[in-house]
Amino acid sequence: MKSIKPLKITETSLRDGHQSLIATRLKTEEILPILEKMDEVGYHAMEVWGGATFDACLRFLNEDPWERLRKIRSKVKNTKLQMLLRGQNLLGYKHYPDDIVEKFIQKAIYNGIDIVRIFDALNDTRNLETSIKAIKKEGAHCQCAISYTTSKVHTTSYYLEKVKELENLGADSICIKDMSGILTPYRAFELIKKIKQITKLPIELHNHGTSGIASMSYMKAIEAGVDIIDTAISPFATGTSQPPTESLAITYQNTNRDPKLNLDALHEVAAYFKPIKEKYISNGTLKHKVLEIEPKTLSYQVPGGMLSNLLSQLEAQNAAHKFEEVLAEVPKVREDLGYPPLVTPMSQMVGTQAVFNVLIGERYKMVPKEIKDYVRGLYGRPPAPIKEEIKKKIIGDEEVIDVRPADLLEDGFEKYKSEIEGLYQSEEDILSYALFPQVAKKFLQDREPEVYYIELSLE
């Protein structure tokens, strides 16, 4: 009989928690004072970097994301630090050359990351190969995530095949990434149970509370033997974020899955973040809508962030009354495009196409460049073939590539380096520019130059 292991907890408030609720606006100065207390909790890991944090630091907070990571690492001595990386997309919105991917991962690990969670929006494992090799080369833990969605092609067999593919590529653990909060409890039990039967790799479940079922799905997954779950400290939990850490920890206290977290430390962490949350409510950054439960998510599979983005697009066109019509169009576009999971960048692309289809009144009369590139194969292989009539409507008779998209890209590090000669102080600066050229260049230009003080002795 297998021994039952304690449940492990990954704390997400410093990345996905505040990304989901306050548009990734937590400042480094708000994070640093509580880190040593968080380090006492006994988490398996703390997710602190990656996702939208890199972009938000440069674009909105006037902070160096690399310096944020170094400062966090200096305070956290006992707990593993984790980041989220979009495979060949890194932290941007397009595919980057292999040399940029390799260098970025090397620097992320050098600056303090222990666990790199990587995923591809299409679950095209070819787009993860370079990242996996680079993470393994640097000696960090490579967690491969599978973007969870439902469709006629996303069967249990589909997910089991992806698990074995990733295991064969070198994954150290597997994450089921339910970005929309649509993994129902009994489906979670069935899926985790079957995955545990085919692999000895640790299995983690990542969920969002958007549809109202996340905690129930976690409980059934725990029954099925999931090893790790993602939670957020209560002030930055629920709504479109993850279920609250304290509630899950207390639920399993004194059971055979007890995560044995330091509850006193957890309560101190929650007390610290409560007034910070209130501040973001007062200044309008935390909007009431992201705390609401939206069961329609289970039908439309639209993540919480995508819901608010669609509404914003329609309001800008004085067409908010067409919101329900656009929501109904999203799954139709998704089917037309081969059932891509609705995760960055596919969620933004599918949503924008749905808005165009509804507002113009003719489907695919106007098509964004990103959708055309996707249909051309430049993002990878769709989960299901795109219908020929849809393909013809979008790109006509243009050729579709079937190679790994990054195979078409030339090395870029030296090119980016030459473009900001005189502005960079480190290779990290060059990487920031490679990912976000305009934003990073402005940040580097505005950054105060290093000042060297020379003592003069006057005789």
Side-chain angles (χ1 to χ4, degrees):
M1 187 170 174
K2 288 182 182 175
S3 60
I4 297 173
K5 296 177 181 176
L7 180 67
K8 294 179 179 178
I9 303 281
T10 294
E11 171 63 53
T12 67
S13 57
L14 302 184
R15 203 285 298 175
D16 204 4
H18 76 107
Q19 180 174 319
S20 296
L21 298 188
I22 61 168
T24 333
R25 293 301 199 273
L26 268 186
K27 301 178 183 70
T28 301
E29 65 188 38
E30 294 170 320
I31 292 171
L32 294 179
I34 197 60
L35 286 175
E36 287 165 338
K37 183 56 63 178
M38 294 180 81
D39 201 20
E40 296 174 12
V41 169
Y43 298 118
H44 164 67
M46 287 161 52
E47 188 189 53
V48 300
W49 211 60
T53 60
F54 198 96
D55 186 3
C57 276
L58 291 168
R59 192 181 302 270
F60 302 115
L61 304 179
N62 195 33
E63 291 185 11
D64 184 343
W66 298 99
E67 184 61 19
R68 170 180 287 205
L69 174 56
R70 287 190 287 269
K71 286 179 176 177
I72 292 173
R73 179 78 280 174
S74 72
K75 297 272 189 181
V76 180
K77 307 294 185 185
N78 306 306
T79 311
K80 291 183 176 69
L81 297 184
Q82 181 173 306
M83 74 168 293
L84 180 70
L85 194 79
R86 302 186 197 110
Q88 208 73 30
N89 292 159
L90 293 176
L91 304 178
Y93 305 101
K94 66 177 185 178
H95 281 220
Y96 296 93
D98 286 340
D99 70 324
I100 298 292
V101 173
E102 290 162 357
K103 181 76 79 170
F104 190 94
I105 287 170
Q106 177 194 25
K107 290 298 181 181
I109 294 165
Y110 174 78
N111 282 280
I113 291 297
D114 302 296
I115 301 171
V116 185
R117 175 183 291 173
I118 55 171
F119 76 97
D120 177 67
L122 300 175
N123 292 324
D124 185 342
T125 55
R126 299 175 304 168
N127 293 332
L128 301 179
E129 290 171 4
T130 299
S131 297
I132 293 170
K133 288 174 186 171
I135 296 165
K136 303 289 281 184
K137 182 181 177 184
E138 297 303 317
H141 180 103
C142 177
Q143 183 177 89
C144 292
I146 302 170
S147 299
Y148 179 80
T149 188
T150 60
S151 76
K152 65 182 183 183
V153 297
H154 290 92
T155 61
T156 298
S157 297
Y158 169 91
Y159 289 111
L160 296 180
E161 285 169 17
K162 290 296 172 188
V163 168
K164 293 311 288 184
E165 271 184 61
L166 293 169
E167 183 174 31
N168 291 336
L169 284 171
D172 295 310
S173 62
I174 301 289
C175 174
I176 302 300
K177 179 179 168 60
D178 178 18
M179 57 281 169
S180 303
I182 58 172
L183 178 61
T184 55
Y186 288 96
R187 173 77 174 124
F189 181 88
E190 175 202 20
L191 186 58
I192 298 299
K193 197 82 174 169
K194 290 191 172 174
I195 291 173
K196 294 294 288 183
Q197 288 169 357
I198 65 161
T199 182
K200 292 182 179 177
L201 294 180
I203 306 300
E204 185 154 358
L205 180 57
H206 174 86
N207 210 334
H208 286 255
T210 317
S211 67
I213 61 172
S215 290
M216 291 183 280
S217 296
Y218 272 169
M219 291 190 76
K220 292 304 292 182
I222 292 164
E223 281 181 33
V226 79
D227 298 281
I228 314 160
I229 57 170
D230 288 0
T231 63
I233 200 71
S234 53
F236 285 105
T238 67
T240 54
S241 179
Q242 282 74 54
T245 307
E246 306 98 300
S247 305
L248 268 298
I250 292 168
T251 297
Y252 287 94
Q253 196 175 22
N254 301 320
T255 71
N256 57 10
R257 298 303 312 271
D258 189 345
K260 293 184 167 44
L261 298 188
N262 180 336
L263 295 179
D264 291 336
L266 265 183
H267 295 320
E268 283 188 51
V269 173
Y272 173 82
F273 279 116
K274 278 178 183 174
I276 293 175
K277 177 183 180 179
E278 289 300 321
K279 180 185 82 174
Y280 285 105
I281 292 173
S282 300
N283 69 19
T285 305
L286 199 165
K287 301 184 186 304
H288 181 68
K289 192 167 185 64
V290 300
L291 296 174
E292 291 178 354
I293 299 301
E294 182 46 85
K296 284 181 184 173
T297 306
L298 295 166
S299 303
Y300 297 132
Q301 300 193 20
V302 177
M306 186 177 170
L307 279 172
S308 53
N309 187 47
L310 288 175
L311 189 56
S312 297
Q313 288 184 55
L314 291 170
E315 285 172 346
Q317 300 295 323
N318 295 315
H321 60 287
K322 294 196 176 275
F323 185 57
E324 292 291 330
E325 200 178 335
V326 169
L327 278 184
E329 177 68 8
V330 167
K332 295 174 187 173
V333 172
R334 188 169 164 260
E335 181 180 359
D336 288 343
L337 298 179
Y339 299 105
L342 293 179
V343 65
T344 301
M346 292 310 306
S347 52
Q348 292 89 334
M349 290 157 57
V350 169
T352 299
Q353 186 64 65
V355 169
F356 285 173
N357 287 358
V358 169
L359 294 188
I360 293 168
E362 183 180 335
R363 305 184 80 233
Y364 304 107
K365 184 174 183 180
M366 184 182 289
V367 180
K369 176 185 180 297
E370 291 80 5
I371 291 284
K372 291 180 179 178
D373 284 346
Y374 166 74
V375 174
R376 292 180 184 116
L378 294 174
Y379 283 84
R381 197 177 284 137
I386 298 172
K387 299 171 184 175
E388 283 303 319
E389 64 268 26
I390 298 296
K391 198 182 294 180
K392 195 164 186 66
K393 215 170 200 181
I394 293 174
I395 62 169
D397 295 321
E398 285 187 50
E399 187 183 352
V400 176
I401 70 153
D402 195 38
V403 297
R404 184 183 73 113
D407 287 343
L408 304 176
L409 302 175
E410 296 180 357
D411 284 354
F413 188 78
E414 292 303 321
K415 177 178 80 76
Y416 292 122
K417 182 179 179 180
S418 66
E419 288 177 7
I420 55 166
E421 191 69 48
L423 275 181
Y424 66 85
Q425 296 173 1
S426 64
E427 290 187 326
E428 286 86 344
D429 287 346
I430 299 165
L431 290 165
S432 296
Y433 173 76
L435 267 61
F436 301 103
Q438 293 177 319
V439 175
K441 188 172 185 178
K442 183 180 185 306
F443 173 81
L444 296 174
Q445 286 170 336
D446 294 346
R447 180 173 59 184
E448 289 185 19
E450 291 185 17
V451 180
Y452 297 91
Y453 294 95
I454 301 172
E455 285 189 18
L456 298 176
S457 60
L458 299 176
E459 293 182 1

